[in-house]
Each structure stands twice: as C-alpha cells, then as structure tokens.
Amino acid sequence: MEAKESTGSAAPAERHAGWNELFFDLVVVAGAGQLARLLHDGPQPADLALYAVV
C-alpha cells in the first residue's frame, strides 16, 4: 500500500467527468427538452403518458 502524501494545501483535487457521466447528462437534458416540447401547449394526459413510457 502506498501512503498518501500530505502537502498541507486545502485545494481539492481536480475532477474530470467520465464519458458515462457526460452521456447520461446529455440524456437528462434531451429528456427535459422533450418534456418541455410535449407540455408546450398545455399538459394532456396522453402526452404525460407518452413521456412516462419514453
């Protein structure tokens, strides 16, 4: 096992997003866009059901 060196700085380590995280962020944004498109003219029960299925 390697011991972690303590440099005494309070700066957090730099974090990079992985490809999976970027992909699922894009899926969430696309889903929010589709929901906004469906609900633009007013929520209809059929539109909400369609969104829930997708």
Side-chain angles (χ1 to χ4, degrees):
M1 287 179 73
E2 295 179 17
K4 292 184 178 179
E5 295 182 22
S6 177
T7 59
S9 67
E14 195 170 322
R15 182 182 177 281
H16 297 282
W19 288 108
N20 287 340
E21 185 177 355
L22 293 173
F23 173 75
F24 287 113
D25 285 347
L26 183 61
V27 168
V28 169
V29 168
Q34 289 299 315
L35 179 60
R37 185 183 64 80
L38 285 173
L39 299 178
H40 179 70
D41 294 329
Q44 301 293 325
D47 293 338
L48 293 175
L50 176 63
Y51 183 76
V53 168
V54 171

